[in-house]
Amino acid sequence: MLDAFGVEITPEEIIRWNTLALGPQGFSTWNVAISQDDYDDDPPSNDALLANLFPLRNEMRGATVLEVGCGIGRRANHPLRFGVAHYFGIDVASISIAIALYRYRLNPNVTFLHSVHDAADVRALQVDIAYMIDVAYHLEPSRLAAVLRTVAGLLRPGGVVHFDIIRTSPTMRVTVSTDLPDGNWPCYRHSTENIARMGDDNGMTIDRTYEWDIPDIQEPDNRRLTVVMRRVGDADD
């Protein structure tokens, strides 16, 4: 089956995501609390980390925001505190979406959608800012390109999307490692050259990039690179 981003998703893959959400790894890192009143289960350790995770936080007030790969809404609390008009979260894991809906059921400014079954609602969105945190580097190139293609179509004129990847040299295309702590999910190292090409193919251009350190990981090859892309050809140009 195809999800809202034109990505082929098998039932087995959805089961795997749901198992991760409900398993020990999910409960230890995602599901610290599921109370509708406890939105602060993922507080940034410092202002620098918050700035790296949300580089457009000062532009979020009054904006319509989309998080791709929202999980149980672990980070939805931050855009809400930044004053967004409405937050949309999308995820492939139906169980994660169910938990997120429960947690934020009292907030009228929050909507969670399942990227498979709510595909029509996803495609109808028009957002100012879209973002992915800890998501893009788990997508193989063809999947990331499909997601960016759909996100570009959801952005309003002048809209932006930002996401973090694991840094590579400009000459490195893609290398894959499955030796990961979070369930051995594949990790793809995308070069900025390839990311720029994906943007060009979908009417977006790289607005800016910056590197930052992953907490508790010091190896240079594991530094994050945040990419901010803007939809081109709008009234602001």
Side-chain angles (χ1 to χ4, degrees), residues 40-55:
D40 200 23
D41 58 312
D42 186 38
S45 59
N46 53 55
D47 291 341
L49 179 57
L50 183 65
N52 288 325
L53 293 178
F54 292 97

Side-chain angles (χ1 to χ4, degrees), residues 50 84 110 222:
L50 183 65
V84 300
V110 175
N222 286 321

